[in-house]
Amino acid sequence: MEKKLGFIPEAESIIREALEDIVKSGFVPGCGVMVGYKGEKVFEIYTGIADKETGKAVSADTRYRMYSMTKVFTVSAVMQLWDRGLIRLNDPLSKFIPEYANPVVAVCGMSGNYQLVPAEREIMIYDLLTMTSGIPYDAEGPTGKVISDITARWAADKKEGKDWDTIRVARELAKAPLLFQPGKYFQYGLSHDILGAVIEVITGKNLYEYLKENFFMPLGMDSAKFEIDESNRELMAEVYGASGKPAKGMGSPIIDTSLGYDKPRFFSGGAGLVCTMGDYFKFVRMLAHNGTVDGKRYLSRKAIEMISTPQLNARQMQTYNAADESPNNIYRGYNYGFGVRVCTEPGISADANSKGEYGWAGALGTWMFVDPEEDIFLVYVHQRTPVDHEAYMPQVCRAVYSALK
């Protein structure tokens, strides 16, 4: 086939062998990958089983908890609103959620005691997109205590059938002191969940409704949901721990509380998406097409360019994932854009890559990238905790890149 001309004839068997090796090693019982070239699907490979108890094979119908790969949808939705003139990147967060109007920062002194000081400026939408807002998942000191208290109250209300909605969660989180002055450092955390609330305020729709109307339905992503219900429960891939036994929860109270998947009112812009590999691939194909695919424009070329441009300065990079100099760190050689890693120094990470390659990953093992230089894109899936991306993604990427002509 003409679309496979970019790969050597043995490409599919090379990639399949890499996946089979992951399964044979016992790392996961099953996995899958889809690879695109020049805007079209080239390979779709599944191996192993999705559920040990039932023996159900991994297939095109298998559903996955995408966790942090949800973030790429959320930033894309924000940039779609930017395209439409409904938001500016330097808008203060308080324009949409007034509770953020007077943020304070928790500063740790030499003695280990914390002092709360007024922030030098407000959080901007840009800070949320780049994870430089100072809002973490959890932390030590007063920030962690407030988030822990919020989580406990939320969990108690959920038990009584009074779940919080997305905007309520964002408003509650405004009570937590920031870890640092807005924009000073990078801190992976709840910034994109708060962006989900911003999207809801602007559009008057909940995050799922907005994504369904503007991405899921037009892209044909029929499996995409923020819920596990009768329509998809039997199709879910089981989550396994390092022991090979089923695992429950991520061990982070705020994440585990937010992801009940049972008739949610909170739609996590940072972690809530459930869908098939193939449906997520449709979204990545749109990104690879610079925002316009099959005659429909989802994002401007400029919006895609901004998402995939390195955004962190030298000081912010000090606290980014890439700061770990271990040769096994797959984020070495990367900066961060809007919700995605962006390769700036190809060849120094544990993965094969190209300059400008961008993508993200999920806490249960999912992975995606777009490589504009080689004109390829990929989605990989399995469900395991702890995630240990370094244990398998280098060999998946090696297989794909080595199979290029």
Side-chain angles (χ1 to χ4, degrees):
M1 297 173 64
E2 184 177 350
K3 65 185 179 182
K4 293 189 179 182
L5 290 179
F7 291 85
I8 61 176
E10 304 85 1
E12 186 163 358
S13 62
I14 290 171
I15 298 168
R16 182 179 296 279
E17 182 179 357
L19 266 62
E20 289 175 348
D21 285 347
I22 295 169
V23 173
K24 288 175 184 176
S25 74
F27 190 75
V28 290
C31 57
V33 72
M34 295 182 79
V35 182
Y37 176 67
K38 291 191 178 299
E40 302 300 330
K41 182 175 70 176
V42 181
F43 304 116
E44 179 176 358
I45 301 169
Y46 305 94
T47 187
I49 58 176
D51 189 317
K52 293 179 180 180
E53 183 178 351
T54 64
K56 176 178 58 183
V58 175
S59 73
D61 289 329
T62 305
R63 267 61 165 178
Y64 300 88
R65 301 157 187 83
M66 292 295 173
Y67 272 74
S68 284
M69 280 183 15
T70 308
K71 292 177 170 70
V72 191
F73 272 96
T74 302
V75 299
S76 295
V78 171
M79 294 310 293
Q80 190 177 70
L81 297 175
W82 176 83
D83 276 336
R84 296 171 181 174
L86 297 175
I87 193 170
R88 297 172 63 181
L89 302 190
N90 63 350
D91 277 338
L93 175 55
S94 64
K95 177 179 177 180
F96 309 102
I97 306 175
E99 286 82 353
Y100 287 89
N102 298 293
V104 296
V105 180
V107 178
C108 185
M110 295 291 290
S111 63
N113 295 321
Y114 286 86
Q115 180 182 2
L116 300 183
V117 301
E120 295 168 0
R121 65 167 175 82
E122 290 194 36
I123 298 168
M124 299 186 299
I125 296 302
Y126 179 86
D127 300 321
L128 297 170
L129 288 166
T130 57
M131 291 283 184
T132 57
S133 66
I135 303 170
Y137 277 120
D138 46 41
E140 297 180 354
T143 303
K145 183 179 186 307
V146 173
I147 292 176
S148 179
D149 290 346
I150 290 168
T151 303
R153 288 191 291 108
W154 183 11
D157 281 354
K158 285 186 77 169
K159 276 189 175 182
E160 296 181 7
K162 298 181 289 187
D163 194 9
W164 299 358
D165 63 20
T166 311
I167 295 173
R168 165 78 185 276
V169 173
R171 286 172 172 162
E172 292 282 349
L173 288 170
K175 299 172 183 175
L178 305 180
L179 287 186
F180 46 76
Q181 293 291 342
K184 188 170 184 179
Y185 297 112
F186 174 93
Q187 174 63 53
Y188 200 60
L190 292 160
S191 289
H192 295 169
D193 291 279
I194 293 168
L195 281 175
V198 171
I199 292 166
E200 293 194 359
V201 170
I202 293 172
T203 66
K205 300 173 181 179
N206 70 46
L207 180 62
Y208 171 60
E209 290 171 342
Y210 183 83
L211 292 177
K212 183 177 180 180
E213 180 180 319
N214 291 276
F215 292 97
F216 300 163
M217 288 182 65
L219 283 168
M221 297 178 60
D222 297 335
S223 70
K225 305 183 79 168
F226 280 67
E227 183 176 7
I228 298 175
D229 57 18
E230 294 307 312
S231 71
N232 61 7
R233 185 171 288 111
E234 297 304 315
L235 297 169
M236 296 299 302
E238 183 60 85
V239 181
Y240 292 98
S243 67
K245 296 179 180 179
K248 301 296 181 185
M250 297 301 300
S252 170
I254 186 71
I255 297 175
D256 291 341
T257 300
S258 70
L259 297 180
Y261 294 119
D262 182 17
K263 296 182 176 61
R265 297 184 65 229
F266 171 75
F267 297 95
S268 172
L273 179 64
V274 171
C275 69
T276 63
M277 175 174 70
D279 277 353
Y280 200 98
F281 186 83
K282 293 172 183 176
F283 171 68
V284 179
R285 177 172 173 257
M286 179 274 293
L287 298 177
H289 274 267
N290 278 323
T292 300
V293 67
D294 298 330
K296 181 173 176 61
R297 186 183 197 241
Y298 296 85
L299 292 166
S300 67
R301 178 185 58 80
K302 201 63 182 176
I304 296 286
E305 181 181 306
M306 294 167 73
I307 289 170
S308 59
T309 293
Q311 301 288 344
L312 303 184
N313 61 35
R315 183 175 59 194
Q316 293 162 344
M317 283 291 291
Q318 293 173 13
T319 52
Y320 181 54
N321 311 42
D324 177 3
E325 290 299 319
S326 164
N328 293 323
N329 178 14
I330 57 177
Y331 289 98
R332 288 183 67 212
Y334 284 87
N335 199 296
Y336 191 76
F338 292 170
V340 294
R341 65 184 183 275
V342 184
C343 182
T344 55
E345 298 179 77
I348 71 168
S349 82
D351 274 354
N353 50 27
S354 305
K355 188 172 185 178
E357 174 256 312
Y358 67 93
W360 202 238
L364 293 179
T366 54
W367 186 274
M368 57 78 63
F369 74 70
V370 176
D371 184 337
E373 182 176 304
E374 295 290 353
D375 215 351
I376 60 175
F377 51 105
L378 171 149
V379 177
Y380 170 91
V381 289
H382 71 227
Q383 303 277 265
R384 180 189 190 272
T385 184
V387 63
D388 294 336
H389 287 121
E390 292 85 352
Y392 61 93
M393 277 317 301
Q395 69 191 78
V396 175
C397 292
R398 184 271 312 160
V400 173
Y401 278 94
S402 70
L404 288 167
K405 282 186 177 176

